[in-house]
Amino acid sequence: MPVDAFLFDKDGTLFDFAATWNGWAAQVLATLAKGDRAVLEAMAEVISYDLERRAFNPDSLVIAGSNDEVAEVLAPFVAEMEVEELAVFLARSAAEAELAPAVPLAEFLDGLLARGKVLGVMTNDAEISARSQLERAGVLDRFAFVAGCDSGHGAKPDPDPLLAFCRVTGVQPERTAMVGDSLHDLEAGAAAGMRRIGVLTGMALREELAPHADIVLPDIGHIPAWIDG
C-alpha cells in the first residue's frame, strides 16, 4: 500500500539530536544550577547527561520524553520555579536552540510535496519550541500539522497525537508513515496502525530500532529512494 503522508518526529529526526541538543543542555543546566556544582551534578544525573563529555547518555529521559517530564525531574533542584514555570522556561530556551538539520530540510521536504505527500510533525517537545525551530529552519509552511506534547492530543508513545494528524489531514493511518529516531516514535506508530521508518540521527542504534520498524534508514534523506524502491 502506498504511503500518502509522512509524520515526522522533530529531535533526532528532522534535526540531528546530538549536534542540536548536547551543547544546549550544558548551557541550560549551568543556568539553572547558578554556580552550585552539587546541584549541577544532581540535575545532570537525573537526566543522564555526561558533564565531562557535554553529551546525553543513550538512556536519557530527554531523548524521547516530553518537555513536561523533563521539567518534573529537574524541578526538585530549582527552588525558584514551580514545575509549570520550569516547563515554560525549558520550552522557550529550546525554541532558541542552535539547530543542526539532519539534511537540507527545504529541499528534502519540497521533494516530498512535489510527489503529492502530506507532511506533519509530532514531537514530545512543546509546540512553541517546534514551531519556532521549524520557522527558523525556513520550513514551517511545509507542514499541514505541527503538534507537541502540550497541544492537547497527548504524547508519544500514545497513538492519539498520531491519529490526530490523520483526522486533520484526512489521510488514513495505514497510508501514513511515522518517521522517528526513538522507540517511542515507532511504538506510537505501531499502535496507530501506521508504517514505521526509523532513522539513525538520534541516539538509538539500528539494532534497537529494527525490530520495531518497517525499515531503518541512515537519515530522512533516504526516504525518496525508499519510496521509489
Side-chain angles (χ1 to χ4, degrees):
M1 183 176 294
V3 173
D4 295 332
F6 290 88
L7 181 59
F8 295 94
D9 172 54
K10 177 172 67 70
D11 302 316
T13 302
L14 295 176
F15 301 104
D16 183 278
F17 185 90
T20 298
W21 297 111
N22 281 346
W24 169 85
Q27 296 174 352
V28 165
L29 292 176
T31 298
L32 294 174
K34 295 184 175 180
D36 189 321
R37 181 68 188 184
V39 170
L40 178 65
E41 291 177 350
M43 287 192 296
E45 182 176 358
V46 297
I47 63 169
S48 193
Y49 181 84
D50 189 315
L51 291 169
E52 291 188 6
R53 292 189 300 112
R54 289 172 58 92
F56 286 102
N57 296 315
D59 64 346
S60 174
L61 163 72
V62 176
I63 294 170
S66 71
N67 186 65
D68 292 343
E69 289 172 330
V70 177
E72 286 176 7
V73 299
L74 290 178
F77 308 99
V78 187
E80 69 274 17
M81 293 187 198
E82 298 294 331
V83 175
E84 295 80 6
E85 186 180 359
L86 182 55
V88 171
F89 168 81
L90 293 174
R92 288 177 175 169
S93 175
E96 300 302 321
E98 186 173 345
L99 304 173
V103 300
L105 286 177
E107 178 183 352
F108 164 71
L109 297 170
D110 286 345
L112 292 181
L113 291 171
R115 293 170 178 254
K117 307 304 181 184
V118 180
L119 309 179
V121 174
M122 199 288 131
T123 174
N124 277 356
D125 196 0
E127 183 178 335
I128 185 176
S129 299
R131 289 187 174 277
S132 173
Q133 290 159 7
L134 294 170
E135 185 170 25
R136 285 195 289 127
V139 295
L140 178 60
D141 62 344
R142 271 70 165 189
F143 297 101
F145 177 93
V146 177
C149 65
D150 55 353
S151 298
H153 309 299
K156 297 171 293 189
D158 192 317
D160 286 352
L162 283 63
L163 296 173
F165 167 73
C166 292
R167 288 195 301 273
V168 169
T169 61
V171 180
Q172 294 300 310
E174 59 269 23
R175 299 179 77 95
T176 301
M178 177 68 216
V179 186
D181 66 297
S182 76
L183 291 182
H184 272 19
D185 299 318
L186 303 181
E187 289 167 357
M194 295 179 175
R195 304 282 287 278
R196 284 146 287 140
I197 300 174
V199 291
L200 299 176
T201 40
M203 299 291 286
L205 302 175
R206 180 181 296 274
E207 51 264 36
E208 296 176 84
L209 300 180
H212 306 275
D214 294 297
I215 191 165
V216 178
L217 301 173
D219 58 54
I220 56 175
H222 289 75
I223 287 177
W226 175 76
I227 296 173
D228 293 338

